[in-house]
Amino acid sequence: MKLSEEKWLIKKNNFEVSPVNETIFTLSNGYLGVRGTFEDLFFNETPGTYVAGIFDKSESQVKELVNLPYFWGLKIYLKYEYLNPFECEILDYKRILDMKQGLLYKEMRLKDKKNRITKIEGYRFLSHDNRNLALMKYKIVPENYKDRITLEYFIDGKTTNSTFHPKERVKHYFLSNHVVSDDYLYLEACTRDKNYKVGILSSVEAENYHSKVSRNYIDFIAQSIDIDPVPQNEYTINIYTSILDSRRYDNLHENNLKEIRKAKNIGIEKLLENHKKKLEKRWNVADIKIYGDEKADKALRFNIFSLLSLANPDDEMVSIGAKGLHGEGYKGHVFWDTEIFMLPFYIYEYPEAARSFLMYRYYTLDKARENAKKNGYQGAQYPWESADTGEEETPKWGEDYYGNKVRIWTGDMEYHITADIAFSIREYLRATDDWEFFLNYGAEIFFETARFWVSRAEYNKDKDRYEINKVIGPDEFHEHVKNNFYTNYLARWNIKEALKYINIIKEKFPESYNKISRKINLVESELKKWKEVSNKIFIPWNKTTHLIEQFEGYFKLEDKIITKYNEKNMPEWPENVDLTKLNKYQLIKQADVLMLMHLLSEEFDYETKKINFEYYEKRTMHKSSLSPSIYAIMGLTIGNHSKAYEHFLRTALVDLEDNQGNTALGLHAASAGGTWQAAIYGFGGMNIDKDEKLNFKPWLPPHWKSMEFNIYYKKKLFNVKITQNHIKINDLSSLNDK
Ligand code: BGC
């Protein structure tokens, strides 16, 4: 197998069972995700097989992305003794994620206690060409023996969610069908609450074997192939798997079988070519090259690889969970992470994917309407955490930093997501000019979210202003707060922009306006109220000092400053902080005021950004991986380059160095998007001015020779090359595939 050049490879050269590596080596194609466990599935690994959109609740507190049967099982036996690295001398070992080819490669030479040396080499991938296909190929070479080799391929139907958490472990499916034949193995899982079915069909291709046997062990099905080998000969096994689910397909068994017959006819090598071609097309647009900083270059590429792996523009019914399809953290739920952190990447590098993620919010708009109504409001209130239907899925109970049971309030109070979604629709429209989307779907979301804010704002008669109280802003250390700057500002923005779009649509697309306003019952008298609320929403900003109070009363809290950093360069808690009472302090979890200054950068001057950066940076614990990227961008904006670079590495390496300590639970997908934003908006200095012109004001760290990337903007593709003292922009529209 020819691997790509070094800059495309993430390598691990020592054998270890590591849940962090399982996340890093996860393969995904937006439909399916499979964690990077070893094929053997050692007892202390945490396997994960996920299909986007397949959720189930059963005994768990809230719905979870279901951990489905594991289908990449392969064990090797020599004369019926299990060959495994724990009991062998490991002569050679390599595991490599080849990001260009989108595959996970393994090479291993093992010497067992009987001095038999076996070489195992091969790869697996989830096709980006046909997202239902998973393929694996291994070559086995018995170097110095003739003992019978048995290859046991298996599909394991015993998997559970939260495998190592006895109080939370849940089995979300039962097996509704098994078919075991010489030709193929078929296992069908059926979720317990909604009876979503997922059919997994695998067929093994091997040559020069002596015999094969297929077995049904009820919750585990397997096919074993015996080989009586000639030393030094190479024995190949190819495994074709097709996965289909009942949310999107019928006749799972039959259709899977058809897929597999087709796939076997094409052959694994050609399927790999097709997959690589599709991925290459994406890489040709989305790759960012940094010359002069190999570490940053590769880390950035890993983040882009992860984002490319999570998109599936053909499925508008799903969006990306906070941990991707890479693990069970946050139960596979979708947060503002998608719209505010990841979506910019898709808007500028893969607009079809951006559109499809926004369509997920359109399809869940009715649930957001119901949610608003249930809570006593109008319009649409998006849930803080969303799964398959768009209902509020945030758990009510969790654990604090000491493991004490605590009430989680985010589902009740973290309202800002509703404005975040509207914001992302504006971002998408401005960059793509996709008015078809806006007029048919986006505008409706925009108006319904504005309507929500108008009803959510509370009139304070004494002060003649509207307030939004009992909220949680982006910083989740402070709950039940009054007038969070970020929330109020973006709520006002949401209403004002909605009014602006109403005028534009009325004037330019009167038919569409009539259709939308009729559909959602929008009448002139209501708009008066919108204007009044948007003009009178209280924004806690004392312009004389430039420093913005994160919420009313924040400056009165006990002040604590961060002075120490741990070995991963992450902030340490200042002394004497009671971690059960974080509401008491000015310490914050993540960017909040600065977050808004990033989103609406043009509305704040340099001085204001600088003063707020300097104040909040010392008080931000970065306990959310959504934080460092924003400080990187804002640091560059105000010219604090060294801090900005540090923050950039924090966000870019969050998973590769596990600097939040929880990569085991899945990818930090928002941080991946934030890393892209830090590169493009930060170092590239890209921004859009009020005439919707694209501008670049780059700054590169002194050791960076150059940086190169491509951007889709208003249906054209541009190539941007930045060196220390030049910037060159080329129109590549002739290569534009759209
Ligand atoms: C952060 C949120 C984020 C969520 C999912 C939390 O820890 O505070 O901002 O949306 O994680 O990533």
Side-chain angles (χ1 to χ4, degrees), residues 147-177:
D147 290 347
R148 172 167 288 180
I149 300 176
T150 306
L151 304 176
E152 184 191 33
Y153 166 71
F154 61 89
I155 306 178
D156 184 352
K158 297 191 296 297
T159 54
T160 58
N161 280 63
S162 306
T163 311
F164 291 114
H165 200 315
K167 288 191 312 198
E168 292 198 1
R169 189 182 303 132
V170 179
K171 171 109 178 170
H172 283 290
Y173 62 88
F174 58 91
L175 296 171
S176 46
N177 195 2

Side-chain angles (χ1 to χ4, degrees), residues 322-323 330 333 335-337 341 384-385 410 414 416 473-476 589-590 623-626 668 670:
K323 301 286 178 182
Y330 288 119
H333 294 173
F335 295 67
W336 69 317
D337 303 35
F341 286 84
W384 175 242
E385 299 186 23
T410 50
E414 203 157 346
H416 65 81
D475 154 40
E476 295 181 348
K589 184 177 177 185
Q590 64 203 95
K623 286 288 175 197
S624 160
S625 68
L626 278 61
H668 291 88

Side-chain angles (χ1 to χ4, degrees), residues 168-337:
E168 292 198 1
R169 189 182 303 132
V170 179
K171 171 109 178 170
H172 283 290
Y173 62 88
F174 58 91
L175 296 171
S176 46
N177 195 2
H178 303 74
V179 181
V180 165
S181 75
D182 259 11
D183 194 19
Y184 65 87
L185 302 177
Y186 179 67
L187 197 66
E188 195 173 272
C190 181
T191 63
R192 290 165 54 199
D193 289 338
K194 290 203 178 158
N195 290 344
Y196 294 141
K197 288 192 172 138
V198 179
I200 302 173
L201 192 141
S202 295
S203 184
V204 176
E205 193 173 68
E207 286 168 355
N208 300 323
Y209 59 88
H210 173 262
S211 61
K212 70 175 167 188
V213 169
S214 298
R215 284 277 155 89
N216 179 357
Y217 304 97
I218 310 301
D219 50 9
F220 183 95
I221 54 178
Q223 183 168 79
S224 300
I225 294 180
D226 279 347
I227 297 166
D228 289 331
V230 177
Q232 296 289 342
N233 270 13
E234 199 176 80
Y235 296 88
T236 302
I237 177 167
N238 297 329
I239 292 153
Y240 297 76
T241 305
S242 168
I243 297 99
L244 298 174
D245 73 277
S246 61
R247 285 193 79 201
R248 301 137 173 114
Y249 307 93
D250 300 323
N251 303 329
L252 302 185
H253 180 193
E254 265 167 50
N255 284 327
N256 267 318
L257 196 54
K258 273 192 208 147
E259 285 288 343
I260 287 300
R261 298 243 150 95
K262 244 194 301 171
K264 285 180 95 172
N265 260 336
I266 299 172
I268 197 161
E269 307 289 344
K270 180 80 177 114
L271 290 169
L272 177 62
E273 279 312 307
N274 298 346
H275 155 73
K276 274 166 32 179
K277 259 193 223 148
K278 278 281 158 70
L279 195 55
E280 199 177 351
K281 195 166 148 194
R282 299 267 58 99
W283 275 123
N284 286 343
V285 175
D287 191 30
I288 301 180
K289 299 174 188 82
I290 295 172
Y291 297 99
D293 190 339
E294 279 174 23
K295 191 174 179 180
D297 180 62
K298 195 183 269 191
L300 185 50
R301 192 159 291 117
F302 176 74
N303 286 290
I304 294 171
F305 175 71
S306 306
L307 293 166
L308 288 179
S309 301
L310 289 169
N312 175 9
D314 299 333
D315 189 349
E316 297 181 338
M317 304 302 281
V318 295
S319 186
I320 308 177
K323 301 286 178 182
L325 288 168
H326 295 59
E328 290 162 28
Y330 288 119
K331 321 262 177 220
H333 294 173
V334 181
F335 295 67
W336 69 317
D337 303 35

Side-chain angles (χ1 to χ4, degrees), residues 311-567:
N312 175 9
D314 299 333
D315 189 349
E316 297 181 338
M317 304 302 281
V318 295
S319 186
I320 308 177
K323 301 286 178 182
L325 288 168
H326 295 59
E328 290 162 28
Y330 288 119
K331 321 262 177 220
H333 294 173
V334 181
F335 295 67
W336 69 317
D337 303 35
T338 312
E339 282 77 15
I340 294 297
F341 286 84
M342 301 174 225
L343 209 77
F345 167 82
Y346 297 110
I347 290 176
Y348 293 103
E349 308 293 352
Y350 198 174
E352 307 93 288
R355 185 182 198 277
S356 118
F357 293 128
L358 290 175
M359 286 304 290
Y360 166 80
R361 295 298 190 180
Y362 184 74
Y363 287 119
T364 54
L365 179 59
D366 274 342
K367 286 286 171 208
R369 287 185 175 112
E370 279 173 31
N371 196 29
K373 200 164 168 200
K374 198 176 80 204
N375 296 329
Y377 306 119
Q378 289 164 14
Q381 179 189 356
Y382 278 95
W384 175 242
E385 299 186 23
S386 185
D388 52 346
T389 59
E391 282 153 281
E392 179 60 77
E393 304 287 355
T394 309
K396 294 270 183 219
W397 297 96
E399 286 182 355
D400 68 10
Y401 287 110
Y402 296 119
N404 303 315
K405 190 173 175 187
V406 285
R407 174 74 160 81
I408 297 176
W409 289 105
T410 50
D412 305 65
M413 292 184 188
E414 203 157 346
Y415 295 98
H416 65 81
I417 186 161
T418 293
D420 301 329
I421 290 170
F423 180 83
S424 72
I425 290 172
R426 193 284 302 257
E427 291 291 277
Y428 173 77
L429 177 65
R430 192 172 60 167
T432 60
D433 272 343
D434 184 355
W435 281 89
E436 182 276 324
F437 165 80
F438 192 68
L439 295 174
N440 288 308
Y441 314 103
E444 193 178 327
I445 299 179
F446 222 107
F447 303 157
E448 289 286 45
T449 51
R451 190 177 246 171
F452 163 74
W453 288 115
V454 172
S455 70
R456 177 62 184 78
E458 305 145 38
Y459 184 59
N460 180 332
K461 228 171 52 201
D462 299 337
K463 298 191 171 151
D464 186 26
R465 66 187 195 194
Y466 285 88
E467 301 184 344
I468 307 179
N469 294 323
K470 288 218 178 107
V471 307
I472 299 176
D475 154 40
E476 295 181 348
F477 284 175
H478 297 93
E479 296 164 337
H480 311 271
V481 307
K482 280 181 155 184
N483 293 314
N484 166 249
F485 176 73
Y486 178 99
T487 308
N488 289 22
Y489 204 104
L490 217 53
R492 178 177 73 178
W493 180 91
N494 194 163
I495 307 170
K496 282 193 181 286
E497 284 294 294
L499 286 164
K500 197 181 92 187
Y501 281 121
I502 284 176
N503 287 336
I504 296 175
I505 301 179
K506 251 190 210 163
E507 196 189 308
K508 292 198 180 154
F509 311 97
E511 261 175 47
S512 296
Y513 185 73
N514 288 342
K515 204 169 122 203
I516 302 169
S517 55
R518 234 179 293 130
K519 180 166 181 202
I520 67 170
N521 249 327
L522 196 63
V523 288
E524 284 305 312
S525 55
E526 189 182 351
L527 299 184
K528 252 205 202 146
K529 176 84 194 268
W530 291 24
K531 274 180 211 147
E532 154 153 345
V533 174
S534 66
N535 288 334
K536 286 190 179 172
I537 278 195
F538 173 54
I539 306 290
W541 183 4
N542 173 356
K543 291 198 178 172
T544 55
T545 65
H546 293 283
L547 185 61
I548 293 172
E549 189 170 28
Q550 188 175 295
F551 53 83
E552 257 190 305
Y554 170 83
F555 287 142
K556 293 204 190 89
L557 299 176
E558 197 176 318
D559 201 11
K560 295 271 183 194
I561 304 281
I562 297 156
T563 53
K564 291 196 190 119
Y565 293 83
N566 67 17
E567 68 296 345

